[in-house]
């Protein structure tokens, strides 16, 4: 009986191997060859899942937002909007090794766009997906009438998006002042500033 | 008569050559050899200014904050604190090719810290210098009694720092939604939210 291999699962395993190479060696270390080796697979087998290096890279980058999206969708709601929103934002911040890995991969991609303009449209796609998350957070706060007056939905979502991306940069660079607790203190301070008490 | 060469000037020229290599090829392209070639100098001559690659990289990264600092110190004040603070913050954001170059180099360094932990203390030094800029902005707003009640100097400076770093990431990745005008609209929205009118 032939072994049944779930194609999607195998593609995720290969993308995770790409993540490990990126985190260990930087974007410069990634090739179909190095990722196949990292995954303990032949180059020919890898080609069965990703025809080109570009396809492998795209899938690896999109997997970052896909993982965040899945955690957000499956997270349990407490019923307290403030608590839930902090925990949703926390899903995008390097608070544990899993999220740190995702953030490091994201930042490696974004930081290499000047030298690799072919990655720009991919980064833009991820940027738009993340903006969508933040916009939905702001929209839900507005729907619940939990924001102070003067809040502009679009600008507020753009501001929250930039703030969180900046906090991710600080978390990834592991500044001693950017511990998970300090990062969440800033998120909380920010939410205090826009939400009614 | 021997030609007099300003040592500091020559070191900056070499660092600028390193910037060009980083922006064109990523951190992976940088070596004392590639930078000497980019600067049209022999490897032996480069060694006269930088004994090691690490020294060259440190100087190149520090030059980013040094350039920002010089522009801030030499910028003319309008007398209107709000206008002046927007223009100070603008000095750190990729609003023109010069600032875009600085921001790209900064992000390439930061994005490569997971794979190059030896760069971490350097990134931390730059992080602290940038935090210092933002803290001085918040402190001056507090001294001028231009902020709304409830502002915490440290958290406000950390928030502004993260927000600006996030905007830099968006500017460098050249998302069509992160034009210089859009970025400054978010800065302005943020200042509106913390300053008294």
């Amino acid at each position: 009986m032939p072994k049944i291999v779930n194609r999607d699962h195998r593609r995720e395993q290969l993308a995770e191997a790409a993540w490990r190479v990126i985190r260990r060696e930087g974007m410069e270390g990634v090739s179909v060859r190095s990722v196949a080796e990292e995954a303990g697979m032949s180059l020919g087998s890898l080609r069965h899942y990703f025809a080109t290096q570009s396809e492998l890279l795209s899938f690896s980058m999109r997997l970052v937002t896909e993982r965040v999206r899945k955690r957000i969708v499956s997270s349990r709601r407490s019923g307290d909007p403030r608590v839930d929103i902090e925990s949703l934002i926390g899903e995008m911040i390097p608070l544990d090794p899993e999220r740190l890995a995702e953030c490091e991969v994201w930042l490696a991609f974004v930081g290499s766009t000047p030298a690799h303009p072919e990655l720009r449209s991919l980064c833009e796609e991820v940027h738009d997906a993340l903006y969508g998350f933040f916009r939905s957070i702001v929209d839900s706060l507005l729907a619940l009438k939990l924001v102070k007056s003067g809040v502009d939905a679009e600008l507020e979502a753009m501001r929250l998006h930039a703030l969180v991306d900046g906090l991710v940069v600080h978390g990834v660079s592991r500044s001693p002042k950017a511990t998970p607790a300090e990062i969440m203190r800033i998120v909380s301070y920010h939410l205090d500033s826009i939400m009614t008490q």
Side-chain angles (χ1 to χ4, degrees), chain A residues 43-146:
Chain A
L43 192 54
S45 302
L46 180 143
R47 294 273 190 211
H48 181 64
Y49 298 99
F50 296 104
T52 63
Q53 177 161 325
S54 159
E55 214 183 285
L56 168 64
L57 281 178
S58 301
F59 186 85
S60 303
M61 177 70 158
R62 285 192 191 104
L63 188 61
V64 173
T65 43
E66 183 52 24
R67 288 278 166 87
V68 173
R69 196 192 62 75
K70 272 193 182 157
R71 282 201 306 274
I72 285 178
V73 167
S74 67
S75 69
R76 277 201 271 174
R77 302 291 189 266
S78 74
D80 177 338
R82 169 59 184 260
V83 170
D84 289 342
I85 280 169
E86 280 201 26
S87 96
L88 287 183
I89 293 174
E91 291 299 349
M92 300 169 219
I93 287 175
L95 302 180
D96 62 16
E98 184 184 353
R99 283 171 276 186
L100 179 62
E102 294 163 359
C103 291
E104 285 186 355
V105 169
W106 168 79
L107 192 60
F109 268 92
V110 173
S112 69
T113 52
H116 299 281
E118 72 278 9
L119 296 175
R120 204 160 274 158
S121 68
L122 182 61
C123 285
E124 199 182 313
E125 190 189 301
V126 169
H127 177 98
D128 290 348
L130 291 169
Y131 172 78
F133 287 140
F134 295 109
R135 181 61 191 256
S136 66
I137 287 173
V138 171
D139 284 346
S140 70
L141 281 175
L142 280 163
L144 292 165
K145 300 196 195 310
L146 287 173

Side-chain angles (χ1 to χ4, degrees), chain A residues 18-30:
Chain A
W19 286 15
R20 290 195 296 278
V21 175
I22 291 169
R23 298 178 69 200
R24 194 175 62 230
E25 300 169 36
M27 291 299 291
E28 62 265 36
V30 179

Side-chain angles (χ1 to χ4, degrees), chain A residues 82 86 95 167 177 179-192:
Chain A
R82 169 59 184 260
E86 280 201 26
L95 302 180
L167 291 171
K177 286 139 209 137
T179 59
E182 277 298 286
I183 290 176
M184 287 313 292
R185 203 158 70 97
I186 298 167
V187 169
S188 183
Y189 180 76
H190 182 69
L191 292 175
D192 282 343

Side-chain angles (χ1 to χ4, degrees), chain A residues 27-39:
Chain A
M27 291 299 291
E28 62 265 36
V30 179
S31 66
V32 280
R33 194 169 296 276
S34 66
V35 173
E37 193 178 325
E38 175 72 26

